[in-house]
C-alpha cells in the first residue's frame, strides 16, 4: 500500500501532469497524513464515505466532489456496527477492485480501504448516539443501526479532517443524522446532500439491488411509484398526513412481492410527523422485496392555501391523480 509521502507525491504530480491514477491506503495514519499535507498546501478536500460495491450513484457523488474540491478522497468500509443481522452483513456485496476502478474513473485521488481493526481498535468503547433522530423509521426497524452509522461517520470525519463530505439523499434519515452530528460535535466538515440517482424505471440505485432476482427487480420500482402517488396527493391539495401515508401504503400493497415496513410523510427539517403537512415535506418508504430490504424517499412542498392564493379559500382533496414523473430533484443515469 501507499505511504503518506508517496501519496502526496502522486497528488502533486496529478496537479502538474493531469490524472495519474487513484492512490489506495489500508492504514488510517497514512491516509490522514496525506490529507493533512494536501491541506497544508492549500488544497480543499472532498470526502465521499461509502460501504463499497460502488455504482453510478456513488460515481455522481465523487464527480461532484471532483468539481468542487482540489483533492477527492473516498472511503470504502463495510461497517459492522450498523448491521443488526449477521447474515445481512455477510451477504453485503463487496468488490474492492471494482470499487477502486470506479472511484478513480469518477475522479477520486485516493481511496481508504481499512480493516475493521483500523477503524475499531481493540478496546474501542465510544458510541455516538442521536436518540432524537434515530428512534423512528430506520432506527425502529433496525435497532442500533444509527448508533453504528453516527459512530463510524464521526470516525471517518476525524480521520479526514477539514473537508466537504458528500452523501446521497437516498438515505435521507442518515443524511439528517450526519448533518446534526457534525454540527453538534463542532466538526470541521460541511455535509453536502446530493440528489438520488435512479434507473430509468425509477428504482433508486443501491448496492442491495444486485441481490434482487429478475422478478423482484421488476417489482422493486413500486417504492418509487408509492412516493410519486404521495407527492401527487400533496400537489392536489392533501395536507392530511395520515391520508397521504395511506395512499402510499395502498400502492405498495398492490405489489404481491413487496412487504411494507413503513410509509411516512414527515417534516423535511426534523423528521417529525405533524398531523397537518406544511412547508418542506419528505416522503419515506421502506419495504422488503423478497428477502432484500429497500428504502427510498422523495421531497415535495406542501403550500398552505393562504400562501398559494392569498385571501382566497382553497378546496382540499385527498384523492391522488395518477402520478406524473417529474424528476426535478432526482437524477437518472444516461
Amino acid at each position: 500500500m501507499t505511504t503518506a509521502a508517496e501519496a502526496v507525491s502522486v497528488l502533486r504530480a496529478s496537479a502538474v501532469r493531469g490524472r495519474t491514477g487513484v492512490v489506495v491506503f489500508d492504514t488510517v495514519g497514512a491516509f490522514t497524513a496525506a490529507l493533512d499535507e494536501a491541506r497544508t498546501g492549500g488544497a480543499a478536500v472532498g470526502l465521499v464515505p461509502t460501504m463499497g460495491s460502488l455504482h453510478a450513484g456513488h460515481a455522481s457523488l465523487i464527480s461532484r466532489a471532483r468539481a468542487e474540491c482540489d483533492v477527492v478522497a473516498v472511503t470504502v468500509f463495510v461497517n459492522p456496527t450498523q448491521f443488526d443481522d449477521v447474515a445481512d452483513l455477510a451477504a453485503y456485496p463487496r468488490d474492492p477492485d471494482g470499487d477502486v476502478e470506479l472511484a478513480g474513473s469518477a475522479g477520486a485521488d485516493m481511496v481508504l480501504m481499512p480493516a475493521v481493526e483500523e477503524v475499531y481498535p481493540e478496546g474501542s468503547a465510544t458510541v455516538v448516539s442521536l436518540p432524537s433522530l434515530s428512534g423512528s423509521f430506520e432506527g425502529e426497524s433496525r435497532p442500533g443501526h444509527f448508533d453504528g452509522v453516527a459512530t463510524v461517520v464521526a470516525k471517518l470525519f476525524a480521520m479526514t479532517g477539514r473537508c466537504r463530505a458528500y452523501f446521497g439523499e437516498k438515505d435521507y434519515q442518515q443524511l439528517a443524522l450526519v448533518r446534526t452530528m457534525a454540527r453538534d460535535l463542532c466538526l470541521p466538515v460541511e455535509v453536502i446532500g446530493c440528489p438520488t440517482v435512479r434507473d430509468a424505471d425509477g428504482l433508486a440505485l443501491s448496492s442491495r439491488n444486485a441481490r434482487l432476482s429478475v422478478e423482484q427487480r421488476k417489482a422493486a420500482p413500486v417504492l418509487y411509484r408509492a412516493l410519486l402517488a404521495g407527492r401527487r396527493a400533496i400537489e392536489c391539495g392533501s395536507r392530511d398526513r395520515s391520508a397521504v401515508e395511506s395512499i402510499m401504503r395502498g400502492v405498495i400493497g398492490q405489489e404481491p412481492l413487496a412487504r411494507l415496513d413503513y410509509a411516512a410523510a414527515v417534516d423535511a427539517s426534523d423528521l417529525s410527523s405533524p398531523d397537518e403537512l406544511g412547508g418542506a415535506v419528505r416522503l419515506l418508504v421502506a419495504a422488503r422485496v423478497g428477502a432484500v430490504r429497500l428504502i427510498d424517499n422523495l421531497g415535495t412542498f406542501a403550500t398552505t392555501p393562504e400562501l398559494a392564493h392569498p385571501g382566497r379559500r382553497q378546496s382540499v382533496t385527498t384523492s391522488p391523480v395518477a402520478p406524473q414523473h417529474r424528476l426535478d430533484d432526482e437524477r437518472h443515469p444516461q
Side-chain angles (χ1 to χ4, degrees):
M1 289 292 181
T2 309
T3 67
E6 290 169 336
V8 172
S9 176
V10 169
L11 293 176
R12 286 174 174 164
S14 177
V16 174
R17 298 195 303 268
R19 308 219 47 79
T20 59
V22 65
V23 186
V24 181
F25 297 90
D26 62 357
T27 64
V28 170
F31 175 78
T32 300
L35 291 175
D36 285 345
E37 179 68 16
R39 275 187 296 267
T40 298
V45 173
L47 172 68
V48 181
T50 82
M51 292 214 303
S53 191
L54 303 187
H55 49 65
H58 298 108
S60 72
L61 302 180
I62 298 167
S63 295
R64 179 163 174 185
R66 175 79 276 154
E68 298 177 354
C69 303
D70 302 307
V71 174
V72 177
V74 174
T75 62
V76 174
F77 179 66
V78 181
N79 177 38
T81 66
Q82 67 189 69
F83 287 83
D84 60 350
D85 183 342
V86 175
D88 195 22
L89 172 61
Y92 197 85
R94 294 165 171 82
D95 181 17
D97 292 338
D99 290 343
V100 171
E101 181 177 355
L102 186 147
S105 64
D109 296 297
M110 57 175 67
V111 176
L112 172 65
M113 304 179 107
V116 172
E117 295 75 19
E118 277 285 307
V119 179
Y120 295 101
E122 185 176 356
S124 293
T126 300
V127 174
V128 179
S129 183
L130 289 81
S132 64
L133 288 173
S134 62
S136 58
F137 309 122
E138 287 302 290
E140 183 176 356
S141 298
R142 305 168 68 185
H145 168 71
F146 280 124
D147 287 356
V149 170
T151 301
V152 77
V153 173
K155 285 173 173 280
L156 294 174
F157 285 177
M159 297 170 192
T160 304
R162 184 175 297 278
C163 67
R164 305 182 80 191
Y166 296 81
F167 290 81
E169 290 185 348
K170 185 183 80 69
D171 298 300
Y172 191 79
Q173 189 174 8
Q174 171 181 281
L175 175 60
L177 178 138
V178 168
R179 279 177 168 154
T180 301
M181 181 267 294
R183 180 199 68 198
D184 290 356
L185 297 182
C186 302
L187 299 176
V189 178
E190 180 184 0
V191 178
I192 310 295
C194 301
T196 301
V197 178
R198 301 180 180 278
D199 277 331
D201 59 4
L203 180 64
L205 298 192
S206 169
S207 301
R208 295 176 183 270
N209 294 352
R211 295 164 55 190
L212 296 168
S213 69
V214 173
E215 289 304 311
Q216 291 164 355
R217 174 61 186 79
K218 291 179 181 178
V222 70
L223 276 76
Y224 187 51
R225 294 198 299 273
L227 294 169
L228 289 174
R231 183 168 74 176
R232 187 59 180 164
I234 293 173
E235 290 175 342
C236 288
S238 179
R239 298 296 178 264
D240 184 328
R241 174 180 56 81
S242 296
V244 173
E245 292 174 349
S246 178
I247 288 167
M248 293 193 292
R249 287 196 298 270
V251 174
I252 298 287
Q254 294 172 10
E255 173 49 64
L257 295 183
R259 290 182 291 121
L260 180 68
D261 186 345
Y262 60 79
V266 302
D267 186 297
S269 62
D270 60 8
L271 306 186
S272 62
S273 301
D275 292 336
E276 182 174 346
L277 300 173
V281 174
R282 206 78 188 184
L283 304 175
L284 313 172
V285 292
R288 287 190 181 274
V289 179
V292 182
R293 188 172 183 279
L294 302 175
I295 63 173
D296 202 351
N297 70 86
L298 198 60
T300 189
F301 193 87
T303 305
T304 63
E306 291 75 13
L307 289 175
H309 300 285
R312 191 179 79 185
R313 293 177 64 96
Q314 183 180 27
S315 62
V316 174
T317 176
T318 59
S319 300
V321 176
Q324 299 176 354
H325 286 248
R326 191 186 71 192
L327 302 173
D328 47 4
D329 60 344
E330 307 292 312
R331 291 181 182 173
H332 288 236
Q334 301 300 314

